Amino acid sequence: MSTPAMALITGASSGIGLQLAHELARQGHPLVLVSERADDLMRAAGALREAHRVPVHAVVQDLAVPGAADALVARCDAEGWPVGLLVSNAGVLLAGPFVQEAPERVARLMHLHTTAVVELCHRFGARFAARGGGGILTVSSISARMPFPVIALYGPSKAFLHQFTRALRHELRPAGVRVTTVLPGATDTSLYEEHAVDRRLALRTGIMQRPHRVARIAVRAWQRDRAQVVPGALNRVIWWLLPVLPHGFVALAYRLWRRRR
C-alpha cells in the first residue's frame, strides 16, 4: 500500500479547510496547513497532531497579497516538504452592495479566489505532472451557478474557479493527476459570522451543511476521481434549478432583501 501524499491545505485554520485537514489526517496524510490567522492555525495544528498522530506543519501566510503563492512554494521547498495534494480552500465572503465595498476588500477577494489559486495550481500542478501523479482539490460554491446581487463578486469568482478546475482536470488527467472541485452550498462556518443568518434553522432544514460532512464528501469525490461534487441533496436540486430560474426571480429576491434592510 502506498504512503498517503502530503496535503497542503489553504484556509486550514477553521471551517471546511480544518475539516478537510481532519479527514485527510484520519487517512494518514501528512499535512501542511496554511492560514493568515496565526493563533487559530497553531491551535488547529496541535489538535490535528494529537488526534491523528501524523506530521502537521503550519505556515502563517496571507494568500490574498501578491507574491504569496510563490512564497508558500518556496517555503515548502526550503523545508523539504514533498507536497502531493493541493487543497485550495481559502476564501472570503463579501455580502452587500458591491459599490459600497472598500476597494482593498474587493482586491483581496479577487486575488484570493482567482490569482492565488491559479498560481498555486500552476506551480504544484507542473510538479505533479512531471512526477506522474498527485492531486488538486478546489473548493468552489453552488453560487458559481448563477450571478446574484449582494454577492456580486463571490459567485462569479467561484464560477471562475469552477471552470478553471474543470479545464485543468482535462489537461492533467493524462499525466495521472486527479483534479476535483467541490461546490458546497451554505456551510456552517465563520464566513457567516458577520451576516444575519439563522444558522440553527438553516441546518435543521438542510439549507446549510455541517463542514465535516462537506469535507468527507469532497475527499471521497477526489479519491474516486470525480470531476465535481455538490454536497447535500437539497443543494444538488438547487444546482440544477438555478440556471432555469428567470432573472426576474433574482430581481424579486433582491427587492425583498432590500426591503428587509
Side-chain angles (χ1 to χ4, degrees), residues 64-176:
V65 297
D70 282 331
L72 178 56
V73 173
R75 173 71 184 278
C76 292
D77 290 344
E79 299 287 353
W81 296 332
V83 174
L85 169 60
L86 169 65
V87 181
S88 184
N89 164 76
V92 293
L93 174 65
L94 300 183
F98 169 68
V99 295
Q100 295 178 17
E101 289 290 353
E104 59 271 18
R105 282 164 59 89
V106 169
R108 284 180 61 81
L109 181 148
M110 291 303 296
H111 192 93
L112 188 61
H113 287 193
T114 59
T115 304
V117 179
V118 168
E119 290 175 347
L120 287 173
C121 287
H122 180 262
R123 305 326 183 244
F124 284 112
R127 298 177 181 200
F128 299 161
R131 72 176 70 141
I136 296 173
L137 174 62
T138 64
V139 180
S140 180
S141 166
I142 61 169
S143 65
R145 193 67 157 168
M146 184 177 190
F148 197 84
V150 308
I151 54 168
L153 280 181
Y154 187 83
S157 66
K158 290 294 189 175
F160 166 82
L161 179 56
H162 175 225
Q163 296 297 330
F164 168 70
T165 306
R166 292 299 301 266
L168 189 62
R169 172 182 171 84
H170 292 298
E171 292 188 16
L172 294 181
R173 198 175 188 192

Side-chain angles (χ1 to χ4, degrees), residues 14-16 37 91-95 140-143 151 154 158 184-200 202-203 207-211 214 235:
S14 65
I16 294 174
R37 295 158 55 183
V92 293
L93 174 65
L94 300 183
S140 180
S141 166
I142 61 169
S143 65
I151 54 168
Y154 187 83
K158 290 294 189 175
T187 307
D188 187 22
T189 71
S190 59
L191 278 181
Y192 291 91
E193 287 177 355
E194 298 180 19
H195 311 291
V197 176
D198 187 337
R199 290 156 81 162
R200 284 183 297 181
L203 286 166
I207 294 172
M208 184 173 278
Q209 297 282 309
R210 297 284 188 186
V214 172
N235 287 329

Side-chain angles (χ1 to χ4, degrees), residues 2 6 25-26 51-52 70 74 89 125 195 207 238 250 257-258:
S2 60
M6 177 172 281
R26 193 175 294 116
H52 306 292
D70 282 331
N89 164 76
H195 311 291
I207 294 172
I238 292 171
V250 176
W257 177 84
R258 291 188 62 187

